Amino acid sequence: MFGRPKTIQDGLARTRQSFFGRIRQLLAGSTLTPEAWDELEELLIQADVGVDITTELVEDLRRQAEAGKLRTPADVDRALRERLIAMLQQGAPSVVDEPRLLTVILVVGVNGSGKTTSIGKMAYYYKQRGRKVILAAADTFRAAAIDQLKIWGERVGVDVIAHQPGADPGAVTYDAIRACQARGADMLIIDTAGRLHTKYNLMQELAKVRGVAAKQVHRAPHETLLVIDATTGQNGLAQARHFKDTVGVTGIVLAKLDGTAKGGIVFPIVRELGVGVRFVGTGEKLEDWAEFDPQLFVAGLFDQNGNE
Amino acid sequence: MFENLTEKLQAVFDKLSSRGRLTEADVDAALREVRLALLEADVNYKVVKAFLERVRERAIGAEVVRSLTPAQQVVKIVHEELIATLGEGAKLNLSGPAPHVIMLVGLQGAGKTTAVAKLALRLRKQGQRPLMVAADIYRPAAIHQLEVLGKQLDIPVYSEPNNRRPPEICANAVQHARKAAYTVVLLDTAGRLHINDQMMAELEAIKAKVQPAEVLLVADAMTGQDAVRVAEEFHRRVGLTGLILTKVDGDARGGAAISMRHVTGVPIKFLGTGEKPDALEEFHPDRLASRILGMGDVLSLIEKAEQTLDQQRAMEMGRRLVSGEFTLEDFLEQLHEVKKLGPLSQLLDMIPGMARVSKDLAPDVTEQQLKKVEAIINSMTKEERRRPEIINASRKRRIARGSGTTVQDINQLLGQFRQMQRMMKQFGKAPKRGGLFSMFQ
């Protein structure tokens, strides 16, 4: 939160100095030793990629190496990158930039994943790109959540539509859509209360918010973003599954990628649910926000210019 | 995958012929499955490795108790080792002169502010006079959040204007607490990254100024492999005295708890189990170990039931749940009892094998829904309650009229009930196959 603005590369620098940097070192040798395969497995698992994908990748690469298709560590390195990139390239592209009168983005996630901060940064991002953005404070549950969003609204310079704490999130959404139409805003971003995906009633409430948007604006919400904390382990997949079932998540925001966590949980999520990663959050400042690029993400993981 | 660990181990052992004593081959085959299970539960790779070595040592040559299958024997050893690794829970250290300062630290979004409020409420119930201190001057509206919680719980909050630095604020708060005879001071520090040197230095400064009795790391139960580094770094910089694991009411296995405990050696003191201010539980290693292994939280269920129902009813309820003799009549009878136990989904999560299905089957039972269900069942004849399969369309219309509901409501209830009954029956079968339930009896 201090110092220069962070970019996705900076966020990833931390990632590569620790683990993927080591993969690179391992693979920079001249021969493929059995230990190298074990280390490769360890490194992928430690990045939260998950047991299934890790085992599959390592076994597959190993088979190819044994069949003589991959001869050097450099070959393995290249094949691994290709596989990882391909895995992240699934999912329909975002339709946010398609022309329409009002684009509605619904933001959901478990408690503390970083929804409100992400919304502040996203609002700034789109405002910089010439959109007229309004924020809806539909987290009426958590203490002071509305004020938190209002402060972000002031920082960015966009309007925030809010009711009293405890108000119906659906009603807030309705009013916010009306406000967008009245004030000529072309983008509405809805902040919702954090909820564990296992809480049935809270998930139903979210479906209702979605329903209100759908009724008021043609094909809304045009994007439903699930915010996932980069430190999340394998539970991230269960989160994504439930939120997708209930509100039709169309994209992932990977928040807090400026720590030492790798965010490898996006691999199983993207693969199983076919939902792409849209953005990466890398800090607490307005500019700590970047579009997700699979090439860059994976290339960044493997780059050698970390500070190790 | 966890729910099946015993079954998986069973399959592994079925292929092996040895009986009576666990051979190296038995153990290695079993531990491969255990390893996958632990990794899926987010236990750190290195921690898993160290852990399995200990289990292996203990397991090879171990005699298989007559009443257990080899698979159960291995699970038992794993379970015991997990409990040992998790260590005993510990009470808050409130020795020495008041006010006792408790400092909560952690990453952004771990749940510190909520944990501060829950702890304060708990301490007040124990006769303490808590003061909460808003030391998060960075996150927008964080101070206000604590103030709102303070108002809701009627617990005072100490805060200062924005230009003060957190170490000063905390020192002033402790001084204020001394004068105003508060007995416990809870510091709500800002969330920060363990690698942010400047922010970590701030924590060191706060600690030096207030000499806290406790420095508790608040960590999300959903944390992945990185938990190790987070805990290590916080411990290195500020010397932790305990852990609070939050959001345990979700379906995360919570393997991060093992990792953090392993690298810091400090006890897990509390679990955050819900959004309500009283949803803070003491830590029991056996329960978390069962959860990490996917064995459900049978002990918690039993204890929870005991608190609310009398012993006999608890046993009867347990028997009925397990045996699958569960009619709409029982359902109604127990609705009131269940209400006291908390949301049904939470209850089901505690039963082995149910964690996976409970979310789909058993929505949180709210007061309103309970009333509806009650009305519907009350409008049925005795025969209908015992044999819901006889309820045809015309009976449904009658029941709907009688209970002021719709035929849809009745279909929904019956559907849910059938599913639940089926699950209960399936679950009841498990012990016959030597399921884990027997381990707890």
Side-chain angles (χ1 to χ4, degrees):
Chain A
M1 63 193 300
F2 302 101
R4 69 203 166 91
K6 280 169 227 139
T7 63
I8 183 168
Q9 286 94 337
D10 290 321
L12 287 171
R14 307 227 178 265
T15 306
R16 54 180 181 255
Q17 31 171 292
S18 39
F19 280 110
F20 283 92
R22 270 173 59 204
I23 293 190
R24 179 72 192 188
Q25 281 177 7
L26 277 172
L27 296 177
S30 55
T31 49
L32 291 162
T33 61
E35 292 78 43
W37 294 111
D38 285 352
E39 288 260 1
L40 185 60
E41 181 199 68
E42 173 182 348
L43 298 171
L44 288 170
I45 283 179
Q46 293 242 33
D48 290 318
V49 169
V51 174
D52 287 351
I53 291 182
T54 298
T55 313
E56 191 187 302
L57 276 177
V58 173
E59 275 175 10
D60 195 40
L61 292 173
R62 202 168 178 164
R63 253 198 308 276
Q64 287 186 41
E66 276 158 12
K69 284 178 197 154
L70 304 172
R71 290 176 193 282
T72 64
D75 292 343
V76 175
D77 175 80
R78 189 171 26 75
L80 180 61
R81 282 183 203 227
E82 278 169 11
R83 292 286 298 272
L84 289 171
I85 291 171
M87 221 177 269
L88 292 174
Q89 274 168 336
Q90 295 166 43
S94 169
V95 295
V96 166
D97 291 329
E98 284 174 11
R100 63 175 77 81
L101 283 175
L102 175 60
T103 300
V104 179
I105 302 177
L106 180 65
V107 181
V108 301
V110 299
N111 316 60
S113 58
K115 284 174 296 302
T116 308
T117 306
S118 293
I119 287 168
K121 294 190 285 186
M122 199 188 333
Y124 178 74
Y125 172 90
Y126 281 116
K127 196 189 169 205
Q128 294 291 96
R129 275 156 188 74
R131 309 290 294 248
K132 184 162 178 358
V133 182
I134 284 185
L135 305 180
D139 178 357
T140 57
F141 178 76
R142 206 200 70 210
I146 296 170
D147 303 279
Q148 191 181 345
L149 192 70
K150 279 183 178 165
I151 293 171
W152 277 107
E154 276 166 33
R155 278 187 195 171
V156 179
V158 298
D159 290 350
V160 176
I161 305 301
H163 287 187
Q164 290 306 304
D168 173 29
V172 178
T173 303
Y174 181 89
D175 278 1
I177 289 169
R178 286 278 164 278
C180 286
Q181 290 160 343
R183 299 177 199 183
D186 63 358
M187 179 176 280
L188 173 66
I189 307 177
I190 305 168
D191 186 20
T192 61
R195 63 202 77 214
L196 292 179
H197 50 288
T198 51
K199 309 268 167 158
Y200 180 85
N201 286 343
L202 292 176
M203 292 300 277
Q204 289 311 304
E205 179 196 272
L206 210 50
K208 192 187 152 199
V209 170
R210 189 194 159 82
V212 170
K215 218 167 177 181
Q216 298 303 316
V217 182
H218 182 57
R219 304 187 91 121
H222 307 95
E223 180 98 289
T224 301
L225 294 173
L226 172 66
V227 180
I228 296 222
D229 185 330
T231 58
T232 309
Q234 299 311 301
N235 192 247
L237 184 56
Q239 292 172 24
R241 237 180 243 149
H242 280 80
F243 277 104
K244 190 177 180 220
D245 283 352
T246 314
V247 284
V249 169
T250 57
I252 305 290
V253 171
L254 190 59
K256 309 186 204 172
L257 198 61
D258 46 335
T260 49
K262 325 296 164 308
I265 187 63
V266 297
F267 288 99
I269 291 176
V270 172
R271 184 163 82 159
E272 185 184 312
L273 302 175
V275 169
V277 185
R278 299 279 194 249
F279 295 104
V280 188
T282 51
E284 290 170 336
K285 283 206 299 293
L286 283 177
E287 314 82 39
D288 296 338
W289 184 256
E291 260 180 74
F292 180 80
D293 177 340
Q295 303 270 356
L296 196 63
F297 185 75
V298 175
L301 300 176
F302 284 88
D303 264 351
Q304 258 184 324
N305 46 3
N307 327 330
E308 201 165 45
Chain B
M1 68 172 291
F2 264 92
E3 278 79 12
N4 305 327
L5 183 60
T6 318
E7 277 169 40
K8 273 191 177 169
L9 291 181
Q10 193 70 61
V12 170
F13 281 111
D14 283 348
K15 287 186 215 135
L16 305 164
S17 54
S18 56
R19 285 287 180 272
R21 203 170 275 278
L22 292 172
T23 67
E24 238 177 289
D26 292 343
V27 172
D28 286 341
L31 290 191
R32 266 195 289 279
E33 294 296 336
V34 174
R35 176 177 174 274
L36 291 180
L38 292 175
L39 288 174
E40 278 291 330
D42 291 322
V43 183
N44 182 272
Y45 190 91
K46 290 199 170 103
V47 177
V48 170
K49 220 169 178 179
F51 175 78
L52 289 183
E53 264 160 38
R54 281 206 305 281
V55 173
R56 191 166 183 274
E57 238 165 68
R58 257 196 71 187
I60 291 175
E63 232 171 295
V64 178
V65 181
R66 230 160 47 120
S67 57
L68 298 180
T69 65
Q72 287 173 311
Q73 183 75 32
V74 171
V75 169
K76 186 164 179 283
I77 294 171
V78 170
H79 189 240
E80 283 168 6
E81 274 300 319
L82 267 186
I83 290 172
T85 307
L86 284 167
E88 283 300 316
K91 297 239 179 294
L92 283 175
N93 170 23
L94 298 179
S95 58
H100 315 285
V101 180
I102 301 173
M103 184 172 163
L104 274 72
V105 301
L107 298 177
Q108 291 95 338
K112 285 174 297 301
T113 307
T114 307
V116 163
K118 287 177 178 178
L119 261 183
L121 180 67
R122 186 186 182 87
L123 287 164
R124 190 182 61 190
K125 277 184 187 162
Q126 292 170 0
Q128 302 282 348
R129 292 194 62 217
L131 175 68
M132 304 195 286
V133 181
D136 179 358
I137 59 168
Y138 306 101
R139 183 165 58 93
I143 296 171
H144 188 207
Q145 184 185 351
L146 192 65
E147 282 169 350
V148 170
L149 290 171
K151 204 172 273 175
Q152 278 169 9
L153 303 176
D154 195 22
I155 293 172
V157 173
Y158 183 91
S159 65
E160 287 189 21
N162 252 341
N163 50 10
R164 287 287 176 73
R165 307 308 301 168
E168 282 175 67
I169 297 174
C170 293
N172 294 344
V174 173
Q175 211 144 48
H176 168 72
R178 203 165 285 138
K179 278 190 211 136
Y182 289 104
T183 57
V184 185
V185 181
L186 295 143
L187 307 181
D188 181 25
T189 65
R192 65 202 73 213
L193 282 172
H194 50 297
I195 49 169
N196 186 330
D197 185 57
Q198 208 168 343
M199 289 295 284
M200 292 303 281
E202 181 194 281
L203 285 185
E204 291 169 337
I206 293 175
K207 191 183 176 187
K209 284 213 165 176
V210 302
Q211 301 293 330
E214 293 271 6
V215 182
L216 305 175
L217 175 67
V218 181
D220 190 322
M222 298 178 279
T223 312
Q225 297 280 321
D226 205 42
V228 161
R229 234 159 318 155
V230 173
E232 259 172 357
E233 204 49 27
F234 272 98
H235 193 42
R236 187 176 74 79
R237 298 292 294 255
V238 287
L240 302 173
T241 61
L243 305 167
I244 298 179
L245 198 63
T246 60
K247 307 176 205 173
V248 179
D249 47 330
D251 58 356
R253 290 286 169 201
I258 298 184
S259 306
M260 292 189 291
R261 160 83 194 172
H262 180 87
V263 295
T264 62
V266 300
I268 299 164
K269 299 211 167 178
F270 296 102
L271 305 178
T273 55
E275 306 215 16
K276 292 204 181 111
D278 62 349
L280 186 74
E281 292 178 10
E282 272 168 33
F283 169 69
H284 298 278
D286 43 352
R287 295 174 195 171
L288 193 62
S290 304
R291 178 183 174 126
I292 289 166
L293 286 175
M295 301 198 297
D297 204 348
V298 178
L299 289 168
S300 286
L301 173 65
I302 291 168
E303 193 188 75
K304 220 169 184 183
E306 274 173 357
Q307 278 173 3
T308 329
L309 318 168
D310 57 275
Q311 189 98 14
Q312 211 180 350
R313 288 188 107 159
M315 278 174 63
E316 172 63 14
M317 176 169 159
R319 193 189 65 78
R320 278 183 176 276
L321 276 172
V322 177
S323 64
E325 296 168 29
F326 201 64
T327 67
L328 276 168
E329 229 169 1
D330 298 320
F331 190 54
L332 178 60
E333 236 177 71
Q334 284 168 5
L335 268 184
H336 304 280
E337 303 295 346
V338 169
K339 246 194 297 195
K340 291 186 217 159
L341 290 173
L344 195 51
S345 61
Q346 214 175 315
L347 270 183
L348 290 176
D349 275 343
M350 296 178 191
I351 301 173
M354 295 297 275
R356 205 178 20 177
V357 291
S358 65
K359 320 154 231 310
D360 309 322
L361 285 181
D364 296 345
V365 180
T366 64
E367 287 297 307
Q368 225 180 347
Q369 283 170 311
L370 273 180
K371 264 188 208 150
K372 208 186 234 181
V373 169
E374 218 179 317
I376 292 174
I377 298 177
N378 278 334
S379 300
M380 293 178 183
T381 64
K382 275 194 178 147
E383 180 74 2
E384 284 165 346
R385 286 178 215 170
R386 267 172 223 150
R387 296 173 48 216
E389 61 274 12
I390 63 167
I391 301 176
N392 56 22
S394 111
R395 282 175 191 262
K396 277 178 196 165
R397 276 196 298 276
R398 194 204 75 240
I399 296 167
R401 269 201 310 278
S403 58
T405 57
T406 64
V407 171
Q408 267 171 316
D409 289 327
I410 290 156
N411 284 335
Q412 205 186 351
L413 171 70
L414 290 176
Q416 265 175 14
F417 176 74
R418 265 195 300 275
Q419 259 183 308
M420 199 157 127
Q421 214 176 17
R422 212 176 305 139
M423 284 313 305
M424 296 293 180
K425 268 184 196 153
Q426 267 176 24
F427 170 59
K429 280 181 204 148
K432 281 170 214 148
R433 272 186 281 143
L436 293 156
F437 204 69
S438 54
M439 284 181 52
F440 296 97
Q441 287 167 344

